[in-house]
Amino acid sequence: MGIKKLVEDQAFTFQESKEGKIIIFYYNKQIMIVKEQRARTLSQKLANASLEEQQMILAKTTGNFKRGNERLINKKQ
């Protein structure tokens, strides 16, 4: 899946919790929780990023979208 499709679909979304955790969603399904220092770093990156950059940052953070696995996820939905 290309970045253009990710941005158009808003495939990745996130929420920041009161405890400082970042919850990452892929097509409205929770796929990851980032905690502690990694969450603080990710929060700073996301705050300063465009929508397109946010999608790439979230995709890279999850790790599954570096190896072509996104096609398998799309077929499951």
Side-chain angles (χ1 to χ4, degrees):
M1 177 177 294
I3 186 64
K4 186 175 181 180
K5 180 77 169 146
L6 289 175
V7 173
E8 286 174 2
D9 290 353
Q10 292 258 318
F12 288 98
T13 54
F14 66 97
Q15 292 179 346
E16 292 189 55
S17 72
K18 293 178 185 177
E19 298 85 25
K21 298 175 186 175
I22 296 181
I23 304 162
I24 301 174
F25 299 88
Y26 181 69
Y27 288 106
N28 299 317
K29 292 184 181 183
Q30 181 181 325
I31 58 170
M32 181 178 229
I33 297 176
V34 181
K35 302 176 186 176
E36 300 169 352
Q37 180 59 40
R38 190 169 177 209
R40 289 188 288 277
T41 303
L42 180 59
S43 179
Q44 290 172 350
K45 287 180 182 179
L46 291 169
N48 298 318
S50 69
L51 184 59
E52 182 176 308
E53 291 168 335
Q54 284 181 350
Q55 293 295 305
M56 282 301 294
I57 292 166
L58 293 169
K60 288 180 180 181
T61 299
T62 64
N64 291 330
F65 298 89
K66 295 181 198 174
R67 296 179 285 278
N69 295 356
E70 66 274 11
R71 281 184 240 114
L72 298 176
I73 291 172
N74 283 336
K75 289 180 183 179
K76 290 180 184 177
Q77 294 179 346

